[in-house]
DNA sequence: CATGAATGAGCTTTCATTCAT
DNA sequence: AATGAATGAAAGCTCATTCAT
């Protein structure tokens, strides 16, 4: 499993010598804990995952989890904080006259940095903790906003009226976000490019 | 909350007089338990919902839950068994040349009988118990199958190639099924008719 | 299973007509409850036997048990009261010079009326309720007393001293009482006649 | 209460210093739990003894019991495993011509290492768990086998025929095993030496 | 900082007992 | 008197959290 992570947030960067070594060790344990939690939360859900299981999978003693994360919920919060990221200001690479390509690039350059597992956690645990729901809302909003904007640029003639464009943007965001869930739960794989092409075609 | 239910399965039908009264009382308690569980499972998830909460919301003593459902998981299984229903053999009301209308009718006459809450439960707890996942899989499969079939009938000229039609059917099923989740989690309402219209348009 | 019972204690004997019929029905249910309890208490012990199991085996509704026996312990007490019986005053059929035959007859004409199951219950549940322990004590005492007396008569010359005779009587009582337990638990069948013969022989 | 224990199984043997101290503490808690359970199971029976009572008597918190013994039955199994021991291969110290002394030595060097309480538990809970019954069967079998063998050696002339010798061996085993039960339940003390002397005498 | 035994609140579940019919 | 649904106290067990080492 390879995760994109953004800002470990512990600020060990400047340390030197022995301290650094120890820091690395600690960071490793913390990372392993989060890795394990990510896998287990995505698989069985937050409530059904015991800290014991996390410790076992992370190969750390149980007490160490509570040293890094005083309460169980802090593990989830840390995952959401550190392993999902919505790039809100990024440029949309829209090409006028090519809505399909524009959406495809949007799908690839998704302003969401999150592993498939994290996306499942986001949805599954949206009610569990406010920060998860807030993050998910921001994410979906940004996706819709960007899809709307990109389609507006790609379709200068505005063939599709505003309402239809809104539906297209919403659907696009929904399918991209739920992609992993759909695949996992129903077995149906969804190709973002095909979705982009289909939605683009509906607006021409 | 108003649920469509299909065969309470108690077989009281022929009873009369006093026996009937008793039956009603029993059914009420059982129904209240399922009502409460449906609401709570949908809101907080199965694992995070204690039987005590169900009992309180249903206004029944705790022991009564286990009289009707020996184990907690049996409540979930009963909900899925009795409150979701996939009509597998139903006719598709397809009109050639009118794919949008055909999909709209399909969306309205969805072969899924399940409250919004039940749909959330289906997704959320798909991993919790085999029967939930199986039901969800059957449901999605039937939806895709019917959408595919309806679109084939509605578009006799087969303008869209098979692959695109498949994507359209899959997306249609996904959006319909996830509808509630999307609305709840992201706040974006999705109108099935608009989706039908968009997808139909993409295939013409 | 056929039990010897002594004094049903309900005093239905004199009733007539409808009352009698009803009495018979009641007594049947009560008897079936005790039969079932006897079998289950002997097999699994008092504490591990649920009243539900008794009701099921007796084929009576659960509520009926508590009509006849307000508390669960009352079933055990009734069993001990009605289905074990120590005839304290009975004559000992002793033949001088034939200690083996005397003991054999004593074993056969045991002043204990109790099914094998009841004997197991007596031992197993001796600590559970005072009345059970008291009954077991009385029973053993009577057996020892009679064996002692019988051997005294059968061995007029008093070849064995008093101490040895006491040991013989105690052993004889013990083996007779524990017989069922030993057989059930260890699989070793014990023949009372052989025991009588052996003990008699040891005293000659 | 002093127990002979055989292989505590913790493997602390090689530890030193602080680790050793901790080991002692742990072992103490576990031992106290088993001590308490032994006392309570012997007194009230397994089913009627709550884990709470064990915890109170052992002066440990309730959760600690389940840390050492995940399920209640595991406490019983551990007791039987660790606190009863049947020495199956031991030599029988038989002296030809002295059956009484031979049996006495056999009674004293009983191939069962178990406290009086454990012996009561063995009998009382033989039906509760397979491992208990198996242990009891092995024990009785070994006792009978040894008594038979010892008597065969002690009585070279084989005055008693095989059948009588078998009865003698069985009785000897039964009385030795049930000794505690008899004493506790009936108040009659049984002296193994007297039993040995009596049985030996019956075979001469 | 690291460890895992210790702790107890709180969960599911059981079941004797009650009670309306 | 008969019935079985209802009731809740109490059991076994789980597991997040604490804490001594």
């Amino acid at each position: 499993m390879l995760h994109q992570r953004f800002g470990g947030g512990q600020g060990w960067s400047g340390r030197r010598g022995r301290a650094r070594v120890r820091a690395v060790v600690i960071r490793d344990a913390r990372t392993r804990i989060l890795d394990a939690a990510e896998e287990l939360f995505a698989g069985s859900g937050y409530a059904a995952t015991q800290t014991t299981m996390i410790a076992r999978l992370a190969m750390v003693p149980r007490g160490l989890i509570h040293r890094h994360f005083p309460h169980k919920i802090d593990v989830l919060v840390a995952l959401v904080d550190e392993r999902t990221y919505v790039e809100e200001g990024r440029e949309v690479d829209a090409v006028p006259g090519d809505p399909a390509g524009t959406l495809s690039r949007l799908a690839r350059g998704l302003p969401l940095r999150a592993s498939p597992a994290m996306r499942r956690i986001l949805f599954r645990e949206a009610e569990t903790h406010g920060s998860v729901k807030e993050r998910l809302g921001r994410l979906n909003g940004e996706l819709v906003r960007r899809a709307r904007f990109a389609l507006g640029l790609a379709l200068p003639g505005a063939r599709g009226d505003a309402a239809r464009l809104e539906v297209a943007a919403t659907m696009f965001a929904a399918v991209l976000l739920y992609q992993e869930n759909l695949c996992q739960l129903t077995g149906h794989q969804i190709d973002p490019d095909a979705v982009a092409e289909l939605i683009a075609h509906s607006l021409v």
Side-chain angles (χ1 to χ4, degrees), chain A:
Chain A
M1 214 198 307
L2 203 139
H3 306 292
Q4 301 146 296
R5 224 158 305 100
F6 306 88
Q10 245 58 22
W12 306 105
S13 38
R15 310 278 188 83
R16 284 288 174 277
R18 243 188 76 190
R20 187 194 173 83
V21 171
R22 202 192 289 169
V24 167
V25 169
I26 290 165
R27 162 111 140 229
D28 269 0
R30 192 176 186 280
T31 302
R32 285 208 309 279
I33 291 168
L34 289 178
D35 287 348
E38 181 176 338
E39 185 174 334
L40 294 168
F41 288 171
S44 321
Y46 171 81
T49 299
Q50 301 98 306
T51 53
T52 303
M53 290 164 62
I54 299 176
R56 199 175 318 156
L57 186 59
M59 289 185 296
V60 300
R62 313 218 350 260
L64 198 53
I65 291 182
H66 288 92
R67 173 158 302 279
H68 289 288
F69 310 97
H71 299 271
K72 188 189 173 189
I73 191 69
D74 298 328
V75 180
L76 179 60
V77 172
L79 277 178
V80 171
D81 272 358
E82 301 172 23
R83 297 195 173 187
T84 70
Y85 184 72
V86 186
E87 303 174 33
E88 281 180 356
R90 222 171 63 180
E91 278 298 291
V92 179
D93 180 15
V95 173
D98 180 20
T102 297
L103 285 182
S104 274
R105 278 189 296 279
L106 187 55
R108 288 225 189 70
L110 204 61
L112 164 67
R113 296 273 178 270
S115 68
M118 279 311 305
R119 273 183 249 179
R120 294 207 67 208
I121 293 172
L122 272 181
F123 282 99
R124 219 178 154 150
E125 309 302 341
E127 309 307 316
T128 305
H129 201 254
S131 71
V132 184
K133 185 159 194 174
E134 180 263 354
R135 182 67 54 110
L136 181 57
R138 283 240 310 282
L139 212 153
N140 187 68
E142 177 69 10
L143 251 182
V144 171
R145 199 186 63 71
R146 292 166 66 83
R148 197 192 297 126
F149 182 66
L151 285 173
L153 288 184
L155 295 166
R159 266 289 314 283
D161 58 303
R164 171 179 285 173
L165 198 143
E166 190 65 27
V167 171
T170 305
M171 271 188 63
F172 183 69
V175 173
L176 280 189
L177 279 179
Y178 264 110
Q179 195 179 323
E180 306 303 331
N181 278 21
L182 287 169
C183 173
Q184 178 95 20
L185 297 176
T186 67
H188 280 237
Q189 188 76 42
I190 289 187
D191 173 20
D193 284 346
V195 171
E197 205 270 340
L198 187 139
I199 286 181
H201 199 265
S202 76
L203 294 173
V204 185

